[in-house]
Amino acid sequence: MADTGATPDASAPATGADRSAKGGDKAVRTAAAEGKLSPKDRRKRIADRVLAEGQVSIEDLVQELGVSQMTVHRDLDSLEHQGWLRKVRGGATAAPNALFESNARWRGNEQVAAKEAICAAALAIAEPGQAVIIDDSSTALPLARSLASRGAYTVITNSLQVINELAEEPDIRVIALGGEYHAAFNAFLGMSTADIARSFRADVAFLSTSAVDNGHCYHQAQENVLVKRALMAAARRRVLLVDHSKFGRQALYELAPLADFDLVISDERLPQEERDALQSLGVRYELAAEGAHRT
């Protein structure tokens, strides 16, 4: 992904270096009202608002930022190209569709209880001493956070957030899969990342996906599919972590049949018709109860 100099650091909290503790927000609002924000700051402000609210209108952005509609359109085009949002008629949204995977920050706030329950169930599979693959999905992140209290592991990952979560854990050996960094996914993706992944042989891989339909997994981004397939090939056992909201969705690129996974873990809100479909396909699955804790 080309660095245009306008990529917003949406994950970085505001500090004293960015604005003073008193009056800083007022200064930013004043600058925005006068159209004096730099393109980088303006686009960060737009990205933050879309990710916080889910969607925003062009008219509201024009009034808030004090710039022209053409300028807002250019900002949205840039942010869409970088994967921060999706332009829609009259505005922009963070919600995914068949062609667009939502930003990592947005996904991290979706179905939190279900993801935590799924990872609690998955934790019983990851035995201390194993080499474990964790992909860049928000679904698998709670699993990474829980490993440190379980013992020694080798964790192989392309997720920068997982790397940062485990970097200072004395019992965790982290192997980071490099390659091209994609800020919208907060991960390393692409051919070079996939090539590195294929050079390993792990005990178990924990992965997620954007959509499940008709017995197959799908994803909106081809570079994600490339890496996820390599991660699957690098593990003796493959576990799919996928909450109920992903079933019945559509995405452009096929990742794999559900039957290629040794186990599918979802949550108890998975509709009965989806459970029946898994059973008819011979897919081994487990449903995790929200609020259940495992040791």
Side-chain angles (χ1 to χ4, degrees), residues 132-134 202-207 231-232 235 237-240:
V132 174
I133 290 172
I134 299 178
D203 294 289
V204 59
F206 295 99
L207 303 96
L231 294 175
M232 291 175 66
R237 190 177 186 192
R238 297 173 290 274
V239 180
L240 180 67

Side-chain angles (χ1 to χ4, degrees), residues 179-193:
E180 182 180 357
Y181 177 70
H182 290 240
F185 297 105
N186 201 15
F188 300 93
L189 300 169
M191 182 66 72
S192 58
T193 308

Side-chain angles (χ1 to χ4, degrees), residues 22-292:
K22 295 181 179 180
D25 288 336
K26 181 178 179 181
V28 170
R29 287 195 298 270
T30 301
E34 297 176 358
K36 293 181 179 179
L37 286 176
S38 70
K40 180 178 180 180
D41 288 340
R42 192 174 61 242
R43 291 169 188 176
K44 180 183 184 304
R45 188 176 180 87
I46 293 171
D48 284 342
R49 182 167 175 188
V50 174
L51 294 175
E53 300 177 13
Q55 61 183 16
V56 68
S57 73
I58 291 174
E59 182 179 350
D60 285 347
L61 292 175
V62 168
Q63 293 179 359
E64 177 181 342
L65 299 172
V67 295
S68 68
Q69 283 195 8
M70 185 175 295
T71 297
V72 171
H73 274 289
R74 284 198 298 265
D75 288 341
L76 294 180
D77 287 339
S78 176
L79 291 167
E80 182 177 50
H81 177 72
Q82 297 170 50
W84 293 95
L85 50 78
R86 174 168 55 95
K87 283 185 74 176
V88 295
R89 185 178 180 88
T93 179
N97 70 356
L99 300 177
F100 172 79
E101 167 67 312
S102 53
N103 181 272
R105 244 179 69 188
W106 172 264
R107 287 182 284 119
N109 292 324
E110 293 291 294
Q111 303 294 337
V112 174
K115 292 173 181 177
E116 290 178 347
I118 289 168
C119 286
L123 191 61
I125 299 171
E127 299 178 4
Q130 286 186 331
V132 174
I133 290 172
I134 299 178
D135 73 355
D136 61 292
S137 64
S138 63
T139 304
L141 187 57
L143 174 64
R145 291 170 174 159
S146 300
L147 287 179
S149 63
R150 294 271 295 179
Y153 291 91
T154 296
V155 175
I156 303 166
T157 184
N158 66 314
S159 166
L160 183 58
Q161 190 164 0
V162 171
I163 293 167
N164 290 335
E165 288 280 350
L166 299 177
E168 297 184 7
E169 295 295 339
D171 293 331
I172 306 293
R173 179 190 181 198
V174 179
I175 297 177
L177 302 177
E180 182 180 357
Y181 177 70
H182 290 240
F185 297 105
N186 201 15
F188 300 93
L189 300 169
M191 182 66 72
S192 58
T193 308
D195 288 342
I196 298 168
R198 280 188 284 266
S199 68
F200 293 98
R201 190 63 173 164
D203 294 289
V204 59
F206 295 99
L207 303 96
S208 190
T209 191
S210 300
V212 177
D213 187 54
N214 197 29
H216 293 256
C217 303
Y218 296 88
H219 200 284
Q220 297 92 338
Q222 195 170 28
E223 58 267 32
N224 288 74
V225 170
L226 186 67
V227 172
K228 288 176 186 285
R229 285 178 177 172
L231 294 175
M232 291 175 66
R236 283 193 288 269
R237 190 177 186 192
R238 297 173 290 274
V239 180
L240 180 67
L241 311 178
V242 56
D243 71 76
H244 69 280
S245 70
K246 306 294 178 61
F247 285 78
R249 281 189 184 177
Q250 293 183 333
L252 185 60
Y253 299 101
E254 181 184 355
L255 169 59
L258 290 176
D260 282 2
F261 292 90
D262 298 282
L263 177 65
V264 174
I265 304 179
S266 189
D267 61 277
E268 288 192 329
R269 286 189 283 168
L270 185 68
Q272 186 60 50
E273 58 267 27
E274 298 293 352
R275 305 183 192 191
D276 294 341
L278 291 174
Q279 188 168 356
S280 67
L281 291 168
V283 175
R284 182 168 174 252
Y285 73 94
E286 178 179 345
L287 301 181
E290 293 182 16

